[in-house]
Amino acid sequence: MPEGPSIVILREQVAQFEGRTIVRAEGSSKDVAMDELAGQPVLALRSFGKHFLIRLGDRALRIHLLMFGTYLINETKAAGRAGPRLSLFFDDGSALHFYTCSIKTISDDLDNEYDWRGDVMNDAWSAALALKKLRTQPGTLACDALLDQTIFAGVGNIIKNEVLFRVRIHPLSTVGDIPAAKLRELLAQAREYSFDFLEWKKAGTLKQHWLAHTRKICPRCNISFLRGHLGKTARRSFYCARCQLQYPLTPPRSGSTPRSRKTPPAS
């Protein structure tokens, strides 16, 4: 599933369509009135987390690429493949096509539809607001909290695994038991890693920079990573049982230091 940085790249790649007028719309989406799009100007192209947004004259289109969604500019997929969910043809002869995705028509008042402070890639991102939301759900696991799009819009499974490894937090740690300083570090890294992701994705080197996601050996401890489908989200987690501490920590024995709780067997 494309994460926030990939949607930012999409927004940048289709910037040429801003200011253009739609002359025809086609596609299999049942949630878009195709015949009403002709004559609509593209007033703005925006992104919020994993949503790509096209603001038109009297409405907006929200596109979610789901797990396998794609888009093409000025070309289409070969005959015999699944057709586009939405194709937009413009007054200058250009075209934009979206495949295998969810498309909804929403209000053109995007500032009312979205609180931009919740998007880790947006200039309006508010770590203070995210922290306030986290503190209302102390029993939530760290691996689930990072994937909560109402708190970290744009964070996906890759970013989740890499951020938890960066800040040395075990994915099964409960939010309310993570020390305040560590929680603030988690918030900062969710944003910082997202922009690193963006830079590496543009350079075509993203996978080369992965330290935890899909990796087998911890680069810090030189021991095998554990992996499993953890939390309510049941997304794949890759983590080190030694350097990623699980909060709350096991009460220390006399004369010893606190330890991470025993990790359940990986699936």
Side-chain angles (χ1 to χ4, degrees), residues 103-115:
I103 304 174
K104 300 288 185 182
T105 300
I106 61 174
S107 166
D108 66 324
D109 186 359
L110 295 179
D111 290 336
N112 185 57
E113 292 278 342
Y114 292 96
D115 184 347

Side-chain angles (χ1 to χ4, degrees), residues 129-206:
L129 178 61
L131 181 60
K132 182 179 179 180
K133 291 178 179 179
L134 282 175
R135 284 177 170 161
T136 66
Q137 40 186 281
T140 299
L141 298 178
C143 60
D144 289 330
L146 276 168
L147 293 178
D148 187 338
Q149 298 303 293
T150 68
I151 303 176
F152 298 100
V155 169
N157 207 45
I158 296 171
I159 297 175
K160 177 205 77 179
N161 285 322
E162 292 297 314
V163 167
L164 289 175
F165 183 73
R166 275 191 178 189
V167 300
R168 300 178 182 236
I169 293 176
H170 192 290
L172 293 178
S173 298
T174 48
V175 167
D177 293 305
I178 298 174
K182 210 64 176 170
L183 206 54
R184 288 192 291 271
E185 185 182 359
L186 177 73
L187 290 162
Q189 285 300 321
R191 179 169 169 85
E192 183 173 323
Y193 187 84
S194 294
F195 279 95
D196 288 342
F197 183 123
L198 177 64
E199 178 184 343
W200 297 329
K201 182 80 172 180
K202 287 181 175 180
T205 61
L206 177 61

Side-chain angles (χ1 to χ4, degrees), residues 15-254:
Q16 62 182 287
F17 296 107
E18 194 164 299
R20 301 259 65 87
T21 298
I22 299 171
V23 296
R24 190 172 85 258
E26 301 173 353
S28 61
S29 174
K30 303 301 183 183
D31 296 299
V32 178
M34 302 293 176
D35 58 337
E36 295 180 6
L37 297 187
Q40 292 269 3
V42 175
L43 300 180
L45 298 169
R46 304 188 70 175
S47 60
F48 180 87
K50 300 177 183 181
H51 293 172
F52 175 62
L53 306 166
I54 304 175
R55 186 164 72 87
L56 305 174
D58 64 0
R59 71 198 71 188
L61 302 178
R62 183 185 72 201
I63 299 169
H64 192 315
L65 294 179
L66 305 174
M67 291 298 294
F68 304 108
T70 57
Y71 60 96
L72 290 173
I73 302 170
N74 296 328
E75 60 177 306
T76 57
K77 290 187 176 182
R81 304 290 295 275
R85 298 283 290 160
L86 175 68
S87 291
L88 299 176
F89 301 89
F90 296 91
D91 54 359
D92 64 348
S94 58
L96 178 58
H97 310 278
F98 293 95
Y99 299 84
T100 320
C101 59
S102 169
I103 304 174
K104 300 288 185 182
T105 300
I106 61 174
S107 166
D108 66 324
D109 186 359
L110 295 179
D111 290 336
N112 185 57
E113 292 278 342
Y114 292 96
D115 184 347
W116 306 104
R117 298 175 298 169
D119 180 358
V120 295
M121 302 294 295
N122 197 286
D123 290 342
W125 159 256
S126 172
L129 178 61
L131 181 60
K132 182 179 179 180
K133 291 178 179 179
L134 282 175
R135 284 177 170 161
T136 66
Q137 40 186 281
T140 299
L141 298 178
C143 60
D144 289 330
L146 276 168
L147 293 178
D148 187 338
Q149 298 303 293
T150 68
I151 303 176
F152 298 100
V155 169
N157 207 45
I158 296 171
I159 297 175
K160 177 205 77 179
N161 285 322
E162 292 297 314
V163 167
L164 289 175
F165 183 73
R166 275 191 178 189
V167 300
R168 300 178 182 236
I169 293 176
H170 192 290
L172 293 178
S173 298
T174 48
V175 167
D177 293 305
I178 298 174
K182 210 64 176 170
L183 206 54
R184 288 192 291 271
E185 185 182 359
L186 177 73
L187 290 162
Q189 285 300 321
R191 179 169 169 85
E192 183 173 323
Y193 187 84
S194 294
F195 279 95
D196 288 342
F197 183 123
L198 177 64
E199 178 184 343
W200 297 329
K201 182 80 172 180
K202 287 181 175 180
T205 61
L206 177 61
K207 290 185 179 181
Q208 298 172 29
H209 290 275
W210 288 349
L211 298 178
H213 187 70
T214 73
R215 298 312 192 204
K216 296 182 178 179
I217 303 296
C218 173
R220 282 195 291 252
C221 304
N222 198 34
I223 63 174
S224 295
F225 270 127
L226 297 179
R227 60 183 179 179
H229 293 78
L230 306 182
K232 291 183 178 179
T233 50
R235 300 296 305 279
R236 288 193 307 167
S237 289
F238 300 84
Y239 56 100
C240 178
R242 179 180 294 172
C243 64
Q244 291 179 248
L245 295 181
Q246 184 175 351
Y247 300 96
L249 300 176
T250 301
R253 298 188 299 270
S254 177

